[in-house]
Amino acid sequence: MAQDIENNSEQFEKIKEFVQRNKKLIIGLVVALLIILIGNDFYQSKQEQNTGEASQLFQKLLISKTTDIENLKSIADDLKDHYAKTPYAARAQIIFVKTILKNDAVDQDVKDRLHWVTQNAVEPSIKSLSVYYLGLISLSEDDLEGAKKFSELIKTKGFVGFKFDLQGDIAKKEGDIDKAKELYGKAISSFSPQSDFSRVIEYKLQNL
């Protein structure tokens, strides 16, 4: 018992001496740890604030009139420029592009936004959707090699039907009807039989 007390006393003295010798180093480490913890809390708080602000902007985009192109563009730009790391930024570009495409007004800005989404989208499905649109645009411009390249970049499982549909369109444009039929068949199998997209592809298949 006495031996244990003596050993503990010796260990305590050694620890005490170590602390005295390295006081500045220990204080520095403690301060650095506090700075890291405070910085991490601030970063997390800032991220939550940014996500909240981005969500509000995205909701504003959703309820905006589709005819108010300038307003839609302004919100999409704001999200892209200031909230790029949130999922709402990429989603906003897709919504804006879809609105533009309905009016057949494909221009360089549309392409640039879609390319931005392929590089910055947080969600794989949004990235695949942007690649699909880029493939359709390339196809409409008779850039078949570009369309093929984009079709191969569609990786998300839920978008495999879109991939086959795009590849079917490419095969049709190349005059390979048998291949187009095969790819359209695969696309139809990838979607629910009752889905609108499935019916559209059925129509394409019947009119080959």
Side-chain angles (χ1 to χ4, degrees):
M1 183 73 172
Q3 183 67 37
D4 289 341
I5 293 173
E6 185 178 344
N7 289 338
N8 288 338
S9 297
E10 288 178 1
Q11 290 176 359
F12 178 75
E13 286 300 321
K14 288 180 180 179
I15 293 171
K16 188 176 176 181
E17 289 175 10
F18 176 81
V19 170
Q20 287 295 328
R21 286 198 310 269
N22 300 280
K23 186 186 296 183
K24 289 183 179 179
L25 175 62
I26 293 171
I27 291 173
L29 290 173
V30 171
V31 170
L33 180 61
L34 286 172
I35 290 173
I36 290 171
L37 290 173
I38 292 170
N40 184 62
D41 287 344
F42 175 79
Y43 176 77
Q44 293 292 337
S45 176
K46 188 67 176 176
Q47 286 295 98
E48 290 174 5
Q49 180 185 344
N50 282 350
T51 301
E53 291 173 356
S55 175
Q56 291 178 6
L57 275 172
F58 187 70
Q59 293 300 320
K60 186 178 177 183
L61 178 75
L62 291 178
I63 63 175
S64 297
K65 293 181 179 179
T66 55
T67 53
D68 192 352
I69 300 299
E70 285 304 314
N71 182 51
L72 293 174
K73 183 177 185 298
S74 175
I75 297 172
D77 285 345
D78 196 359
L79 282 162
K80 179 166 66 72
D81 295 340
H82 301 108
Y83 304 94
K85 293 185 179 180
T86 70
Y88 302 106
R91 292 183 197 175
Q93 307 316 308
I94 292 295
I95 289 175
F96 177 69
V97 165
K98 284 175 68 176
T99 303
I100 296 297
L101 292 179
K102 285 180 181 178
N103 299 320
D104 297 322
V106 177
D107 56 17
Q108 191 58 46
D109 179 59
V110 166
K111 296 177 187 177
D112 289 343
R113 287 176 191 275
L114 290 171
H115 279 293
W116 184 90
V117 173
T118 65
Q119 298 297 319
N120 295 276
V122 177
E123 299 163 298
S125 59
I126 296 297
K127 185 175 291 188
S128 288
L129 187 56
S130 68
V131 171
Y132 174 67
Y133 280 133
L134 284 167
L136 289 178
I137 290 171
S138 295
L139 186 65
S140 70
E141 296 174 341
D142 292 325
D143 178 9
L144 300 187
E145 289 305 313
K148 288 178 183 178
K149 179 190 73 173
F150 288 123
S151 75
E152 292 299 332
L153 293 175
I154 300 174
K155 303 293 186 182
T156 312
K157 185 177 179 181
F159 279 78
V160 68
F162 292 93
K163 175 179 181 176
F164 289 137
D165 173 60
L166 176 56
Q167 291 178 337
D169 289 345
I170 295 168
K172 179 184 176 182
K173 203 149 193 174
E174 289 179 327
D176 192 339
I177 303 304
D178 289 337
K179 186 176 180 181
K181 287 180 179 179
E182 178 188 349
L183 289 164
Y184 284 149
K186 287 182 178 180
I188 292 168
S189 298
S190 301
F191 292 104
S192 164
Q194 303 303 318
S195 71
D196 290 338
F197 208 83
S198 183
R199 286 193 284 268
V200 169
I201 303 172
E202 282 278 9
Y203 180 78
K204 290 182 182 180
L205 189 57
Q206 292 169 7
N207 285 275
L208 285 175

